[in-house]
Amino acid sequence: MLGVITGAHGVRGEVKVKAFTADPRAIARYGTLADASGERGFDLKLRGAARGLVIAEVAGVGTREAAEALKGVELYVARAKLPKPRRGEVYIADLVGLAAVAADGAEIGRVARVLNYGAGDVLEIERPGRDSLLLPFAEPMVGEVELERGRVFVAPPDEVEARGDEPEDAAP
Amino acid sequence: MGRSVWKGPFVDGYLLKKADKVRAGGRNEIIKIWSRRSTIVPQFIGLTFGVYNGHKFLPVLVNENMVGHKFGEFAPTRSFHGHTAVGGGDKTAKKG
């Protein structure tokens, strides 16, 4: 899914689109987008941006009423239309759902989502019957990603605590 | 008003000691910390810290761009998951 139409803009049939692309304006670069069923196509022509949303004209939609009727429509693109990721990069859509396996091949869990709070990408691995595991998407904690085999090698690190009340830190 | 320069950055002392210890050990370790107030200093580059956000420890792999910021900046305490697509649109994850 590349975006969702959030409502109408103006009276000429333009729509507001919440884009999930890395660059919001890139949503119009993928040609005809499809709805969830894949039956209807949408050709977007960018008109501008406002408050984090993209304003676009949809081919065949000329009135505000017609634009309002599109509210909530999710916009999809075929996976094959996405460009090949650069070296060392993986589509987040491809990472989600992969099996997280240890070096010996034992499955630890599944990648549930990829988080980023400003300190790089973090894999959230859901483990059956246990708390989820958060690992930075970096060596040595995350090894090779084998998309064709649906797995990613991980090495959960040892945990050490740094607390101010440890005996070694206490005043003599 | 900002902090006086002559004081230097604020870092809880035990973090520096632990960072030295972990670096010397050379093992794959994550340092769990509660000290969100500490400034990230160059000694921390390359280490992974688990910064407590009141709920869980979010991993922060320190790189040179983070020096001068506080650990707490990278572990938000409020859970807004945004309106992004589950699949991530066309976003890619780059291995650090």
Side-chain angles (χ1 to χ4, degrees):
Chain A
M1 178 163 56
L2 289 189
V4 60
I5 296 175
T6 59
H9 176 81
V11 295
R12 296 195 184 97
E14 291 171 344
V15 293
K16 290 182 282 191
V17 180
K18 173 75 182 165
F20 302 138
T21 46
D23 170 14
R25 303 180 78 89
I27 193 166
R29 289 187 207 141
Y30 294 106
T32 305
L33 305 176
D35 63 359
S37 65
E39 291 170 0
R40 192 166 171 197
F42 300 91
D43 281 313
L44 301 185
K45 203 170 182 182
L46 285 191
R47 286 291 174 221
R51 281 182 278 178
L53 300 171
V54 174
I55 309 294
E57 193 181 297
V58 183
V61 176
T63 64
R64 182 174 177 90
E65 289 72 28
E68 277 175 347
L70 296 177
K71 186 177 176 181
V73 170
E74 295 170 342
L75 302 170
Y76 292 84
V77 68
R79 176 67 180 77
K81 277 192 180 177
L82 296 176
K84 203 176 168 195
R86 281 175 287 188
R87 193 181 171 85
E89 289 187 352
V90 186
Y91 278 113
I92 290 175
D94 290 340
L95 274 176
V96 173
L98 293 185
V101 297
D104 60 3
E107 186 168 328
I108 293 170
R110 295 220 158 245
V111 179
R113 54 191 67 84
V114 180
L115 311 168
N116 192 327
Y117 296 117
D121 294 304
V122 173
L123 301 188
E124 183 174 350
I125 296 163
E126 281 184 349
R127 300 180 288 185
R130 298 181 66 186
D131 283 345
S132 59
L133 176 69
L134 296 170
L135 291 178
F137 189 52
E139 298 276 359
M141 291 164 210
V142 177
E144 201 177 339
V145 180
E146 293 183 348
L147 293 178
E148 62 285 353
R149 298 187 71 177
R151 65 184 187 176
V152 54
F153 285 95
V154 297
D158 297 330
E159 293 178 347
V160 292
E161 292 183 357
R163 306 177 73 108
D165 53 3
E166 284 176 0
E168 64 178 22
D169 296 316
Chain B
M1 187 193 293
R3 180 181 167 87
S4 296
V5 174
W6 65 266
K7 292 179 184 176
F10 172 81
V11 190
D12 275 316
Y14 56 88
L15 285 191
L16 293 166
K17 284 187 196 168
K18 187 63 83 175
D20 287 343
K21 210 168 162 182
V22 167
R23 195 181 290 283
R27 290 173 31 216
N28 179 18
E29 286 182 322
I30 188 164
I31 306 169
K32 290 166 82 173
I33 61 169
W34 285 258
S35 177
R36 300 169 53 83
R37 60 184 184 169
S38 289
T39 307
I40 297 175
V41 292
Q43 290 97 309
F44 296 153
I45 292 175
L47 298 177
T48 304
F49 292 84
V51 184
Y52 194 56
N53 71 351
H55 175 57
K56 52 192 173 187
F57 293 89
L58 296 180
V60 173
L61 174 60
V62 177
N63 63 39
E64 59 270 24
N65 296 325
M66 297 176 191
V67 172
H69 290 267
K70 307 281 187 187
F71 277 111
E73 294 179 54
F74 302 103
T77 56
R78 288 167 173 79
S79 53
F80 171 67
H81 299 297
H83 305 299
T84 54
V86 176
D90 72 346
K91 295 188 184 86
T92 55
K94 190 171 171 36
K95 223 169 185 188

